[in-house]
């Protein structure tokens, strides 16, 4: 396939993905808006007023970047895992596998589909957050690059999960037992300064720590970890996830007999 | 002219140790209408799966037109259209989206995909259903949808894995007409089917696969020529005598108006007519007891032929 044909194939997958999550928007876009509104009300307004300041900002200001990032992570992940596993389950993935579309185009189509959903939800959640607090952006460049890299990373992770999944139970196990704890322990609701040294060191193994802190730096200008380290770690995890996803596609593992 | 498909010593051993293909070789010429027959589990779908990359081969070589799948699989895939045995489209997508998207996967711009989708959906009688979700289609319509999807990039080789399974007779006949039409326009077709009447009606060449080995690979005419015997049932105008005998032929009275006659290779059915005529029995009609190819097929897979 030449470059134009590959672009056509990529756009076909992307269009299909966007059409899919817009068709079922009550399952894909609305829940995040509602859940995040509840977080803003409960953690930001009700509990936050008792907590006072954190990291030099009101608690509401402190949690908003983490909550937006939480929405991006969960949506980019769940879009790819559910869509790709669904296509495996109903065998429609064979439409792609028998075609000359290169594997990296297949991967990018699904990943960018997940990224667009992550971005769309981020916009919705940000708009909701404006009802609760003012938001000043410290660095647009950091915000945009963190959002793009993070949504790509978790879309790739969703793809890996989908390839390994054998049942619909398998696509909820990782989000429930791995992703959610990592998000909650990733510094969304607290500053790592509050942790004892040992647990602060352990937290640094959690990719969500870098994601949340880099994004918080972009919004508020403060971070518990160095920005360059955060970007380096996110890039490292993304490259590793991309490499492993390509390996799965090229080997045909769990996709071809 | 290079063949449309060349398979050499193709083998497949699944992870569980099952040897599905034991080094088969076959060639399908360009423009042919080729039947690949065999009992369930013989290796037909494995062969097709390897050709279209859904199954990885254990050994051997596959070449589609001038593209070896080990060297340039994308080039080979571009020339292949596949209609699988099982429905493998998203049941929540519309008929039109399924066909148009498939064009996109082959690198076609969306405008061209839409044009082709319209052409083939109309030809296959699905244009009125273009905006409905595919799950609402009947079984026959779903099969035709898969044919339209396989044709959207106008492949030079169309592979159909039991395309008429579960399709009513009228629909099956119209699908036969359509397949014969696109074959006449130059598309090479490989067909697997359990309806041997279908293979006999459509195909010019035939390969029979059994236990992962090719047991026959020849022209339909040659295969049928090799039939050693045929059994006919004759329906008569006049009441047959209780005991009927025709010299040199084995015959059996089925009821008072029908008789079964076995005609061996070298014998002539005219002699049967003449003998019955001499006995004052006029014949209204004649038919094969079973499909001719069916008898040959059973013999081959049971190792009798």
């Amino acid at each position: 396939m030449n470059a134009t044909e590959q672009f056509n194939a990529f756009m076909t997958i992307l269009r299909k993905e966007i059409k899919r999550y817009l068709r079922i928007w009550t399952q894909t876009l609305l829940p995040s808006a509602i859940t995040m509104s509840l977080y803003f009300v409960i953690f930001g307004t009700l509990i936050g007023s008792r907590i006072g300041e954190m990291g030099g900002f009101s608690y509401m200001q402190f949690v908003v970047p983490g909550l937006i990032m939480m929405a991006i992570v969960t949506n980019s992940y769940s879009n790819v895992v559910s869509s790709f596993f669904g296509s495996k389950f109903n065998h429609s993935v064979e439409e792609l596998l028998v075609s000359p579309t290169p594997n990296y185009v297949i991967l990018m189509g699904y990943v960018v589909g997940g990224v667009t959903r992550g971005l769309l939800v981020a916009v919705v959640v940000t708009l909701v957050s404006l009802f609760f607090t003012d938001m000043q952006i410290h660095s647009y460049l950091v915000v945009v690059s963190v959002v793009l890299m993070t949504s790509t990373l978790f879309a790739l992770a969703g793809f890996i999960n989908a390839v390994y999944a054998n049942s619909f139970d398998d696509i909820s196990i990782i989000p429930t037992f791995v992703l959610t704890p990592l998000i909650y322990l990733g510094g969304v609701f607290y500053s790592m300064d509050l942790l004892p040294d040992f647990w602060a060191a352990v937290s640094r193994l959690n990719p969500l720590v870098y994601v949340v802190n880099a994004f918080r730096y972009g919004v508020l200008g403060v971070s518990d970890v160095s920005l360059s380290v955060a970007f380096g770690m996110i890039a490292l995890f993304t490259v590793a996830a991309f490499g492993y996803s390509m390996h799965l596609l090229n080997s045909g593992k769990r996709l071809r007999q | 002219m290079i063949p449309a498909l060349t398979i050499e010593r193709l083998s497949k051993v699944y992870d569980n140790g099952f040897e599905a293909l034991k080094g088969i070789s076959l060639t399908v010429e360009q423009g042919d209408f080729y039947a690949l027959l065999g009992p369930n589990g013989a290796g037909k779908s494995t062969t097709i799966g390897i050709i279209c990359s859904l199954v990885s081969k254990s050994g051997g070589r596959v070449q589609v037109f001038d593209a070896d799948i080990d060297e340039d699989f994308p080039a080979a895939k571009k020339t292949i259209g596949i209609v699988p045995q099982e429905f493998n489209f998203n049941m929540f997508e519309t008929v039109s989206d399924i066909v148009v998207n498939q064009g996109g996967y082959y690198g076609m711009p969306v405008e061209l995909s839409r044009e082709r989708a319209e052409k083939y959906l109309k030809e296959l009688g699905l244009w009125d259903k273009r905006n409905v979700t595919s799950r609402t289609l009947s079984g026959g319509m779903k099969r035709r949808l898969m044919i339209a999807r396989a044709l959207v990039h106008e492949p030079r080789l169309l592979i159909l894995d039991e395309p008429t399974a579960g399709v009513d007779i009228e629909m099956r006949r119209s699908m036969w007409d359509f397949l014969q039409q696109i074959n006449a326009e130059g598309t090479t077709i490989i067909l697997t089917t359990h309806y041997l009447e279908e293979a006999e009606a459509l195909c010019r060449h035939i390969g029979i696969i059994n236990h992962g080995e090719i047991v026959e690979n020849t022209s339909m005419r040659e295969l049928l020529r090799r039939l050693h015997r045929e059994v006919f049932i004759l329906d008569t105008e006049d009441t047959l005598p209780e005991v009927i005998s025709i010299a040199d032929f084995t015959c059996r009275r089925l009821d008072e108006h029908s008789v079964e006659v076995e005609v061996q290779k070298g014998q002539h059915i005219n002699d049967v007519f003449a003998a019955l005529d001499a006995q004052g029995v006029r014949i209204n009609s004649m038919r094969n007891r079973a499909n001719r190819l069916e008898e040959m097929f059973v013999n081959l897979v049971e190792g009798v032929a």
Side-chain angles (χ1 to χ4, degrees), chain B residues 19 34 73 81 108 110 113 118 145 149 152 168 184 204 216 255 275 289:
Chain B
E19 192 176 9
Y34 187 94
F73 215 152
M108 290 162 54
V110 68
S113 290
E118 181 177 345
L145 169 59
R149 184 185 62 178
V152 71
D168 67 47
R204 289 188 286 279
E216 190 58 76
D255 57 44
R289 187 182 65 180

Side-chain angles (χ1 to χ4, degrees), chain A residues 177-195:
Chain A
F177 295 105
V178 179
L179 205 53
T180 305
L182 286 179
I183 290 171
Y184 279 79
L185 297 171
V188 172
F189 298 105
Y190 57 85
S191 166
M192 283 171 62
D193 292 343
L194 300 178
L195 296 175

Side-chain angles (χ1 to χ4, degrees), chain A residues 41-62:
Chain A
V41 170
I42 295 165
F43 288 98
T45 309
L46 299 179
I47 298 175
S49 60
R50 302 281 181 96
I51 293 174
E53 283 195 353
M54 187 164 292
F57 295 89
S58 73
Y59 191 65
M60 175 62 99
Q61 285 177 307
F62 183 84

Side-chain angles (χ1 to χ4, degrees), chain A residues 1 4-5 8-9 12-13 15-16 19 23 90-92 94-101 255-257, chain B residues 12 52-56 74 77-78 82 88-90 93 97-98 101-102 104-109 149:
Chain A
M1 279 179 117
T4 308
E5 290 172 332
N8 289 338
T12 303
I13 302 169
R15 247 192 325 267
K16 182 170 75 91
K19 202 168 179 177
R23 187 180 66 226
N90 62 29
H91 297 287
S92 62
E94 291 175 4
E95 293 175 337
L96 271 165
L97 298 179
V98 302
S99 80
T101 305
L255 295 173
R256 302 176 203 267
Q257 290 178 297
Chain B
K12 173 64 185 177
C52 66
S53 91
L54 293 176
V55 178
S56 51
K77 285 175 171 182
K78 265 189 156 181
I82 175 83
N88 68 343
F89 46 78
N90 187 335
E93 284 182 0
D97 279 351
I98 287 168
N101 285 345
Q102 191 68 15
Y105 301 151
Y106 282 80
M108 290 162 54
R149 184 185 62 178

